[in-house]
Amino acid sequence: MLFALLCKDKPGHLNVRMDTRPTHIEHLNKLNAEGTLKIAGPFLDDDGKPCGSLIIVEAESKEAARALADTDPYAKAGLFESVDVKAYNWVFNKPEA
């Protein structure tokens, strides 16, 4: 099942995002190689600066998706103000469809 991880950065934490980005990318590359990662990228504020993340993963359950979210280096660094985990149904433009 697919889950969307909707991550909102804490205000004033762009430096945490930038400092942690290399380990975050390494983490996402690992999930991608395992076939777990489907989509990932930052939300942008009005100035074009990252202010959150959308990550879509495949997981057995909402709890498993939450556990994946908790292992993200950004989460471990305290970047996120909130992380919402929602079941997701990819209908249009799905590569396997």
Side-chain angles (χ1 to χ4, degrees):
M1 178 170 226
L2 296 177
F3 293 90
L5 312 178
L6 303 162
C7 310
K8 182 178 178 183
D9 292 3
K10 291 177 183 173
H13 277 63
L14 183 58
N15 63 318
V16 174
R17 175 178 280 274
M18 301 316 293
D19 291 347
T20 311
R21 189 171 189 276
T23 54
H24 169 73
I25 296 297
E26 188 177 305
H27 172 73
L28 291 181
N29 281 329
K30 179 180 176 282
L31 293 178
N32 194 45
E34 295 169 355
T36 302
L37 180 65
K38 301 303 176 192
I39 296 173
F43 291 115
L44 304 176
D45 65 16
D46 292 340
D47 295 324
K49 298 208 183 327
C51 61
S53 299
L54 169 63
I55 302 169
I56 298 180
V57 296
E58 188 168 354
E60 292 293 319
S61 65
K62 187 173 185 174
E63 293 75 22
R66 169 64 66 185
L68 283 172
D70 291 344
T71 65
D72 189 308
Y74 281 167
K76 289 180 176 183
L79 172 63
F80 298 135
E81 179 177 277
S82 64
V83 177
D84 197 11
V85 178
K86 295 186 172 279
Y88 179 75
N89 183 22
W90 194 347
V91 177
F92 288 96
N93 298 320
K94 185 175 180 182
E96 301 88 40

